[in-house]
Amino acid sequence: AIETGEIIYGSQVPAGQSMDVLREKSFGEFDGMHKSHLEKLYLAVIELPEDQRWHYKQSDSMESDQEVADRFVSALQQIATKHPGQNILVVSHGICIRIALMKLGYAKHEDFPPGSFKNAGYAVIEHDSNALKLKKVIGHIKP
C-alpha cells in the first residue's frame, strides 16, 4: 500500500504520513499462507449470520472484521478531523477497505466477499458533522 501511495504521490510518502492502523488485516498464525488456505477459512464463515461474521476469528491470533473496522474507521475519522475541508487520499489494502465500506453501510458480508474489491478500486467518503458519509464506490466486483 505504501508503494502504491508513492506511485500516486509521485515520490516517497513523507515521514509521519503513514499510519500503522491502516495496515492489512492480521490473520495471525495464518499470515503468509497461500490464498487457497485463506479461502478455506472464509468457507467456515460464509454460513454464519451477519452479526456473527463481524466477530468471527478462526484463531485468537487473528483479527475479526469488527476489530479491523474499528481501527480503520477510527483512523479515517482522525484524518478527517485533522484536515477539515481538505481532500485527503488514504491508500490501504483491499480487505481493510472492503471491511470499512461494509461498516459504513455499503454492503453486507454476503454481498461483498473477499476478493470482490479490485486493486486500484476506491471510495469517496465525506466527513460532515463528525460523521463519515459514503458517496461513491468504484471497484466492487459483484458476485
Side-chain angles (χ1 to χ4, degrees):
I2 288 176
E3 289 176 20
T4 300
E6 289 174 346
I7 291 168
I8 295 167
Y9 187 67
S11 66
Q12 273 191 321
V13 173
Q17 294 298 311
S18 71
M19 298 174 70
D20 187 51
V21 293
L22 297 175
R23 71 186 178 283
E24 180 61 286
K25 177 178 181 172
S26 172
F27 287 93
E29 65 193 76
F30 304 109
D31 274 340
M33 288 192 169
H34 191 269
K35 181 180 175 182
S36 63
H37 185 74
L38 295 177
E39 288 169 353
K40 289 177 188 172
L41 294 178
Y42 177 69
L43 293 176
V45 180
I46 202 165
E47 298 298 324
L48 294 175
E50 179 71 14
D51 61 328
Q52 289 180 22
R53 285 187 188 194
W54 280 103
H55 301 283
Y56 180 80
K57 295 164 94 166
Q58 186 75 20
S59 75
D60 288 339
S61 64
M62 177 186 229
E63 269 187 302
S64 69
D65 285 358
Q66 184 65 53
E67 291 168 326
V68 173
D70 287 347
R71 71 171 161 83
F72 199 92
V73 172
S74 176
L76 294 178
Q77 286 275 17
Q78 290 174 9
I79 292 165
T81 301
K82 190 174 180 178
H83 302 279
Q86 295 179 336
N87 292 326
I88 305 295
L89 174 67
V90 175
V91 180
S92 190
H93 298 270
I95 292 173
C96 292
I97 295 169
R98 181 182 65 81
I99 291 170
L101 291 174
M102 288 190 297
K103 192 64 178 177
L104 293 173
Y106 175 71
K108 294 188 181 299
H109 281 85
E110 65 189 39
D111 301 320
F112 208 12
S116 63
F117 191 70
K118 289 182 185 181
N119 286 341
Y122 67 93
V124 176
I125 301 170
E126 290 183 358
H127 185 257
D128 184 27
S129 299
N130 222 14
L132 297 172
K133 295 184 177 146
L134 191 56
K135 294 298 188 178
K136 180 193 304 188
V137 176
I138 303 296
H140 178 187
I141 306 163
K142 305 270 181 177

